[in-house]
Each structure stands twice: as structure tokens, then as C-alpha cells.
Short mmCIF file of all heavy atoms in Angstrom, two decimals:
data_model
loop_
_atom_site.label_atom_id
_atom_site.label_comp_id
_atom_site.label_asym_id
_atom_site.label_seq_id
_atom_site.Cartn_x
_atom_site.Cartn_y
_atom_site.Cartn_z
N GLY A 1 0.84 -1.20 -0.04
CA GLY A 1 -0.05 0.01 -0.02
C GLY A 1 0.84 1.24 0.04
O GLY A 1 0.51 2.21 -0.73
N LEU A 2 1.93 1.26 0.79
CA LEU A 2 2.81 2.45 0.86
C LEU A 2 3.51 2.61 -0.46
O LEU A 2 3.76 3.74 -0.93
CB LEU A 2 3.82 2.29 1.99
CG LEU A 2 3.20 2.34 3.42
CD1 LEU A 2 4.26 2.08 4.42
CD2 LEU A 2 2.54 3.72 3.64
N ILE A 3 3.92 1.53 -1.13
CA ILE A 3 4.57 1.63 -2.41
C ILE A 3 3.63 2.30 -3.43
O ILE A 3 4.01 3.12 -4.22
CB ILE A 3 5.10 0.32 -2.90
CG1 ILE A 3 6.27 -0.18 -1.97
CG2 ILE A 3 5.56 0.35 -4.33
CD1 ILE A 3 6.70 -1.60 -2.31
N ASN A 4 2.37 1.88 -3.42
CA ASN A 4 1.42 2.43 -4.38
C ASN A 4 1.17 3.89 -4.07
O ASN A 4 0.94 4.68 -4.96
CB ASN A 4 -0.01 1.67 -4.22
CG ASN A 4 0.16 0.21 -4.85
OD1 ASN A 4 0.89 0.00 -5.72
ND2 ASN A 4 -0.69 -0.67 -4.25
N CYS A 5 1.22 4.25 -2.76
CA CYS A 5 1.05 5.70 -2.46
C CYS A 5 2.19 6.48 -3.00
O CYS A 5 1.96 7.55 -3.57
CB CYS A 5 0.96 5.80 -0.92
SG CYS A 5 -0.49 5.22 -0.15
N VAL A 6 3.47 5.96 -2.88
CA VAL A 6 4.57 6.70 -3.29
C VAL A 6 4.68 6.78 -4.84
O VAL A 6 4.97 7.86 -5.42
CB VAL A 6 5.86 6.06 -2.82
CG1 VAL A 6 7.15 6.69 -3.36
CG2 VAL A 6 5.87 6.22 -1.26
N LYS A 7 4.33 5.71 -5.53
CA LYS A 7 4.44 5.68 -6.94
C LYS A 7 3.29 6.23 -7.72
O LYS A 7 3.47 6.74 -8.83
CB LYS A 7 4.73 4.16 -7.41
CG LYS A 7 6.07 3.68 -6.98
CD LYS A 7 6.27 2.24 -7.61
CE LYS A 7 7.68 1.72 -7.30
NZ LYS A 7 7.88 0.44 -7.89
N ILE A 8 2.07 6.09 -7.13
CA ILE A 8 0.84 6.43 -7.87
C ILE A 8 0.14 7.57 -7.20
O ILE A 8 -0.17 8.61 -7.84
CB ILE A 8 0.02 5.24 -8.12
CG1 ILE A 8 0.75 4.13 -8.82
CG2 ILE A 8 -1.32 5.62 -8.85
CD1 ILE A 8 -0.03 2.83 -9.05
N LEU A 9 -0.27 7.30 -5.97
CA LEU A 9 -1.23 8.21 -5.38
C LEU A 9 -0.68 9.58 -5.11
O LEU A 9 -1.32 10.63 -5.50
CB LEU A 9 -1.71 7.60 -4.05
CG LEU A 9 -2.95 8.20 -3.35
CD1 LEU A 9 -4.11 8.06 -4.33
CD2 LEU A 9 -3.31 7.52 -2.08
N ILE A 10 0.49 9.70 -4.45
CA ILE A 10 1.01 10.97 -4.17
C ILE A 10 1.34 11.80 -5.43
O ILE A 10 0.98 13.01 -5.56
CB ILE A 10 2.29 10.82 -3.28
CG1 ILE A 10 1.83 10.27 -1.92
CG2 ILE A 10 2.97 12.19 -3.06
CD1 ILE A 10 3.03 9.97 -0.98
N PRO A 11 1.96 11.28 -6.40
CA PRO A 11 2.29 12.06 -7.63
C PRO A 11 1.03 12.50 -8.34
O PRO A 11 1.01 13.58 -8.95
CB PRO A 11 3.11 11.10 -8.51
CG PRO A 11 3.67 10.09 -7.57
CD PRO A 11 2.71 9.93 -6.47
N CYS A 12 0.03 11.70 -8.31
CA CYS A 12 -1.26 12.04 -9.04
C CYS A 12 -2.22 12.90 -8.35
O CYS A 12 -2.94 13.71 -8.95
CB CYS A 12 -1.99 10.70 -9.43
SG CYS A 12 -1.19 9.65 -10.55
N VAL A 13 -2.14 12.97 -6.97
CA VAL A 13 -3.09 13.73 -6.23
C VAL A 13 -2.49 14.86 -5.45
O VAL A 13 -3.10 16.01 -5.43
CB VAL A 13 -3.70 12.81 -5.13
CG1 VAL A 13 -4.67 13.50 -4.28
CG2 VAL A 13 -4.50 11.70 -5.86
N PHE A 14 -1.35 14.80 -4.87
CA PHE A 14 -0.78 15.80 -4.00
C PHE A 14 -0.64 17.15 -4.64
O PHE A 14 -1.02 18.20 -4.07
CB PHE A 14 0.61 15.31 -3.43
CG PHE A 14 1.16 16.31 -2.35
CD1 PHE A 14 0.44 16.61 -1.24
CD2 PHE A 14 2.39 16.77 -2.50
CE1 PHE A 14 0.94 17.44 -0.28
CE2 PHE A 14 2.94 17.64 -1.58
CZ PHE A 14 2.24 17.97 -0.46
N PRO A 15 -0.08 17.24 -5.80
CA PRO A 15 0.08 18.59 -6.46
C PRO A 15 -1.32 19.24 -6.71
O PRO A 15 -1.46 20.47 -6.54
CB PRO A 15 0.79 18.28 -7.85
CG PRO A 15 1.46 16.96 -7.63
CD PRO A 15 0.56 16.22 -6.73
N PHE A 16 -2.27 18.46 -7.04
CA PHE A 16 -3.67 19.02 -7.29
C PHE A 16 -4.28 19.49 -6.02
O PHE A 16 -5.06 20.39 -5.98
CB PHE A 16 -4.51 17.97 -8.00
CG PHE A 16 -4.12 17.76 -9.43
CD1 PHE A 16 -3.36 16.71 -9.82
CD2 PHE A 16 -4.57 18.62 -10.48
CE1 PHE A 16 -3.02 16.53 -11.12
CE2 PHE A 16 -4.24 18.42 -11.75
CZ PHE A 16 -3.44 17.37 -12.07
N LEU A 17 -3.99 18.82 -4.85
CA LEU A 17 -4.45 19.19 -3.58
C LEU A 17 -3.93 20.62 -3.24
O LEU A 17 -4.70 21.44 -2.72
CB LEU A 17 -4.08 18.23 -2.50
CG LEU A 17 -4.86 16.95 -2.38
CD1 LEU A 17 -4.36 16.04 -1.30
CD2 LEU A 17 -6.34 17.26 -2.09
N ILE A 18 -2.66 20.82 -3.45
CA ILE A 18 -1.97 22.12 -3.17
C ILE A 18 -2.72 23.21 -4.04
O ILE A 18 -3.06 24.28 -3.61
CB ILE A 18 -0.52 22.09 -3.44
CG1 ILE A 18 0.14 21.11 -2.44
CG2 ILE A 18 0.05 23.53 -3.21
CD1 ILE A 18 1.64 20.88 -2.53
N ALA A 19 -2.82 22.88 -5.32
CA ALA A 19 -3.44 23.90 -6.27
C ALA A 19 -4.85 24.21 -5.92
O ALA A 19 -5.25 25.39 -5.94
CB ALA A 19 -3.40 23.34 -7.76
N SER A 20 -5.67 23.19 -5.55
CA SER A 20 -7.05 23.45 -5.19
C SER A 20 -7.20 24.25 -3.91
O SER A 20 -8.02 25.13 -3.82
CB SER A 20 -7.75 22.10 -5.07
OG SER A 20 -7.15 21.34 -4.02
N SER A 21 -6.30 23.94 -2.94
CA SER A 21 -6.37 24.67 -1.72
C SER A 21 -5.92 26.13 -1.93
O SER A 21 -6.53 27.09 -1.34
CB SER A 21 -5.44 24.00 -0.68
OG SER A 21 -5.48 24.79 0.62
N LEU A 22 -4.89 26.33 -2.72
CA LEU A 22 -4.38 27.68 -3.02
C LEU A 22 -5.47 28.47 -3.79
O LEU A 22 -5.59 29.67 -3.48
CB LEU A 22 -3.10 27.58 -3.84
CG LEU A 22 -2.28 28.88 -4.05
CD1 LEU A 22 -1.94 29.48 -2.76
CD2 LEU A 22 -1.13 28.66 -4.92
N ALA A 23 -6.17 27.83 -4.71
CA ALA A 23 -7.18 28.53 -5.47
C ALA A 23 -8.35 28.96 -4.62
O ALA A 23 -8.97 29.98 -4.89
CB ALA A 23 -7.76 27.65 -6.58
N GLY A 24 -8.58 28.25 -3.53
CA GLY A 24 -9.71 28.57 -2.64
C GLY A 24 -9.49 29.79 -1.83
O GLY A 24 -10.42 30.40 -1.25
N PHE A 25 -8.24 30.35 -1.78
CA PHE A 25 -7.93 31.53 -1.05
C PHE A 25 -8.27 32.83 -1.82
O PHE A 25 -8.30 33.91 -1.29
CB PHE A 25 -6.46 31.55 -0.65
CG PHE A 25 -6.24 30.76 0.60
CD1 PHE A 25 -5.72 29.52 0.47
CD2 PHE A 25 -6.40 31.34 1.86
CE1 PHE A 25 -5.40 28.75 1.63
CE2 PHE A 25 -6.16 30.52 2.94
CZ PHE A 25 -5.67 29.25 2.84
N GLY A 26 -8.52 32.70 -3.10
CA GLY A 26 -8.76 33.87 -3.94
C GLY A 26 -10.06 33.85 -4.68
O GLY A 26 -10.81 32.81 -4.66
N GLU A 27 -10.45 34.98 -5.24
CA GLU A 27 -11.72 35.18 -5.96
C GLU A 27 -11.37 35.44 -7.47
O GLU A 27 -10.30 35.99 -7.66
CB GLU A 27 -12.62 36.18 -5.33
CG GLU A 27 -13.00 35.95 -3.92
CD GLU A 27 -13.90 37.04 -3.46
OE1 GLU A 27 -14.98 37.16 -3.89
OE2 GLU A 27 -13.47 37.81 -2.49
N LEU A 28 -12.33 35.19 -8.27
CA LEU A 28 -12.12 35.56 -9.67
C LEU A 28 -12.17 37.10 -9.79
O LEU A 28 -12.87 37.78 -9.05
CB LEU A 28 -13.24 35.01 -10.49
CG LEU A 28 -13.22 33.46 -10.73
CD1 LEU A 28 -14.42 33.09 -11.52
CD2 LEU A 28 -11.95 33.06 -11.49
N PRO A 29 -11.42 37.69 -10.72
CA PRO A 29 -11.48 39.16 -10.92
C PRO A 29 -12.86 39.50 -11.41
O PRO A 29 -13.57 38.73 -12.02
CB PRO A 29 -10.41 39.38 -12.05
CG PRO A 29 -9.54 38.13 -11.95
CD PRO A 29 -10.39 37.02 -11.58
N PRO A 30 -13.32 40.76 -11.11
CA PRO A 30 -14.67 41.15 -11.45
C PRO A 30 -15.00 40.95 -12.97
O PRO A 30 -16.12 40.47 -13.31
CB PRO A 30 -14.68 42.66 -11.10
CG PRO A 30 -13.72 42.73 -9.96
CD PRO A 30 -12.61 41.74 -10.23
N PRO A 31 -14.06 41.26 -13.86
CA PRO A 31 -14.46 41.00 -15.36
C PRO A 31 -14.71 39.57 -15.64
O PRO A 31 -15.56 39.24 -16.40
CB PRO A 31 -13.16 41.54 -16.10
CG PRO A 31 -12.52 42.51 -15.15
CD PRO A 31 -12.74 41.93 -13.81
N ALA A 32 -13.87 38.66 -14.94
CA ALA A 32 -14.10 37.23 -15.21
C ALA A 32 -15.41 36.76 -14.56
O ALA A 32 -16.08 35.87 -15.12
CB ALA A 32 -12.87 36.45 -14.57
N LYS A 33 -15.79 37.31 -13.48
CA LYS A 33 -17.07 36.98 -12.75
C LYS A 33 -18.24 37.37 -13.76
O LYS A 33 -19.19 36.59 -13.81
CB LYS A 33 -17.18 37.75 -11.47
CG LYS A 33 -16.43 37.11 -10.33
CD LYS A 33 -16.77 37.79 -9.02
CE LYS A 33 -16.10 37.15 -7.88
NZ LYS A 33 -16.45 37.82 -6.57
N LYS A 34 -18.18 38.56 -14.37
CA LYS A 34 -19.26 38.89 -15.22
C LYS A 34 -19.36 37.97 -16.41
O LYS A 34 -20.45 37.74 -16.96
CB LYS A 34 -18.99 40.35 -15.79
CG LYS A 34 -19.06 41.43 -14.73
CD LYS A 34 -18.78 42.78 -15.30
CE LYS A 34 -18.92 43.86 -14.24
NZ LYS A 34 -18.73 45.26 -14.77
N ILE A 35 -18.29 37.42 -16.88
CA ILE A 35 -18.31 36.43 -18.03
C ILE A 35 -18.81 35.04 -17.52
O ILE A 35 -19.63 34.48 -18.23
CB ILE A 35 -16.87 36.29 -18.64
CG1 ILE A 35 -16.45 37.64 -19.16
CG2 ILE A 35 -16.90 35.27 -19.69
CD1 ILE A 35 -14.97 37.65 -19.73
N PHE A 36 -18.33 34.61 -16.42
CA PHE A 36 -18.61 33.19 -16.04
C PHE A 36 -19.78 33.06 -15.13
O PHE A 36 -20.37 31.90 -14.99
CB PHE A 36 -17.37 32.51 -15.37
CG PHE A 36 -16.18 32.35 -16.30
CD1 PHE A 36 -15.06 33.18 -16.13
CD2 PHE A 36 -16.21 31.41 -17.33
CE1 PHE A 36 -14.01 33.03 -16.98
CE2 PHE A 36 -15.18 31.26 -18.21
CZ PHE A 36 -14.03 32.09 -18.02
N GLU A 37 -20.24 34.11 -14.47
CA GLU A 37 -21.33 34.00 -13.59
C GLU A 37 -22.58 33.47 -14.23
O GLU A 37 -23.30 32.60 -13.73
CB GLU A 37 -21.61 35.30 -12.90
CG GLU A 37 -22.69 35.33 -11.81
CD GLU A 37 -22.25 34.71 -10.51
OE1 GLU A 37 -21.02 34.66 -10.33
OE2 GLU A 37 -23.09 34.22 -9.72
N PRO A 38 -23.02 34.06 -15.45
CA PRO A 38 -24.18 33.54 -16.11
C PRO A 38 -24.04 32.04 -16.45
O PRO A 38 -25.06 31.26 -16.41
CB PRO A 38 -24.34 34.39 -17.34
CG PRO A 38 -23.52 35.60 -17.00
CD PRO A 38 -22.38 35.20 -16.13
N LEU A 39 -22.88 31.57 -16.81
CA LEU A 39 -22.65 30.20 -17.20
C LEU A 39 -22.79 29.24 -16.04
O LEU A 39 -23.46 28.22 -16.06
CB LEU A 39 -21.32 30.04 -17.88
CG LEU A 39 -21.08 30.81 -19.16
CD1 LEU A 39 -19.67 30.65 -19.69
CD2 LEU A 39 -22.07 30.31 -20.23
N THR A 40 -22.14 29.54 -14.89
CA THR A 40 -22.14 28.75 -13.67
C THR A 40 -23.59 28.72 -13.10
O THR A 40 -24.02 27.72 -12.56
CB THR A 40 -21.17 29.18 -12.66
OG1 THR A 40 -21.33 30.56 -12.34
CG2 THR A 40 -19.69 29.03 -13.18
N GLN A 41 -24.22 29.84 -13.19
CA GLN A 41 -25.64 29.89 -12.65
C GLN A 41 -26.56 29.08 -13.55
O GLN A 41 -27.47 28.40 -13.09
CB GLN A 41 -26.08 31.31 -12.61
CG GLN A 41 -25.46 32.17 -11.46
CD GLN A 41 -25.92 31.71 -10.04
OE1 GLN A 41 -26.83 30.96 -9.88
NE2 GLN A 41 -25.15 32.15 -9.09
N LEU A 42 -26.28 29.13 -14.88
CA LEU A 42 -27.15 28.42 -15.78
C LEU A 42 -27.03 26.89 -15.67
O LEU A 42 -27.99 26.21 -15.68
CB LEU A 42 -26.81 28.90 -17.26
CG LEU A 42 -27.55 28.10 -18.37
CD1 LEU A 42 -29.05 28.33 -18.31
CD2 LEU A 42 -27.08 28.57 -19.73
N PHE A 43 -25.76 26.45 -15.60
CA PHE A 43 -25.53 25.02 -15.59
C PHE A 43 -25.52 24.40 -14.22
O PHE A 43 -26.00 23.24 -14.12
CB PHE A 43 -24.15 24.74 -16.31
CG PHE A 43 -24.16 24.91 -17.78
CD1 PHE A 43 -23.62 26.06 -18.32
CD2 PHE A 43 -24.79 24.01 -18.63
CE1 PHE A 43 -23.55 26.25 -19.73
CE2 PHE A 43 -24.79 24.25 -20.01
CZ PHE A 43 -24.20 25.35 -20.57
N PHE A 44 -25.10 25.07 -13.21
CA PHE A 44 -24.93 24.49 -11.87
C PHE A 44 -25.63 25.26 -10.81
O PHE A 44 -25.78 24.80 -9.67
CB PHE A 44 -23.45 24.36 -11.52
CG PHE A 44 -22.66 23.64 -12.54
CD1 PHE A 44 -21.70 24.34 -13.28
CD2 PHE A 44 -22.89 22.33 -12.84
CE1 PHE A 44 -20.93 23.68 -14.27
CE2 PHE A 44 -22.11 21.62 -13.81
CZ PHE A 44 -21.09 22.39 -14.49
N ARG A 45 -26.14 26.49 -11.07
CA ARG A 45 -26.73 27.35 -10.09
C ARG A 45 -25.76 27.57 -8.93
O ARG A 45 -26.07 27.44 -7.74
CB ARG A 45 -28.11 26.84 -9.59
CG ARG A 45 -28.91 27.92 -8.76
CD ARG A 45 -30.31 27.48 -8.61
NE ARG A 45 -31.10 27.63 -9.83
CZ ARG A 45 -32.38 27.40 -9.99
NH1 ARG A 45 -33.05 26.89 -8.94
NH2 ARG A 45 -33.02 27.52 -11.08
#
């Protein structure tokens, strides 16, 4: 299990965890919000 973690799980998951957590600290710029807000509301509310 630990070998699978080192060879597969950590390389595939850990960088994305850092990126997702870092992205959660910021907001989209106002111009980007105006563009994507109608789309995210339309498809996912």
C-alpha cells in the first residue's frame, strides 16, 4: 500500500491538492465574474 502511495497516489493527487487549496484563497477578478457567472448559474446554479 505504501509503495502504491509513493508511486501512484502522491504524484497524481498531492500537487492538485495544493493547487485546489491555493485557489480557494482567492476570488475571480470582477471582469471574469461577469463572464462566467451567467454560465455557472445556468448550468450548476
Side-chain angles (χ1 to χ4, degrees):
L2 291 176
I3 290 173
N4 289 331
C5 289
V6 173
K7 290 186 176 181
I8 299 175
L9 195 60
I10 295 177
C12 293
V13 175
F14 186 55
F16 288 99
L17 280 179
I18 297 176
S20 59
S21 179
L22 189 61
F25 279 97
E27 299 181 68
L28 289 177
K33 281 187 179 182
K34 291 182 180 180
I35 297 174
F36 293 111
E37 185 76 23
L39 297 176
T40 56
Q41 289 290 345
L42 175 64
F43 287 103
F44 307 113
R45 193 165 286 180

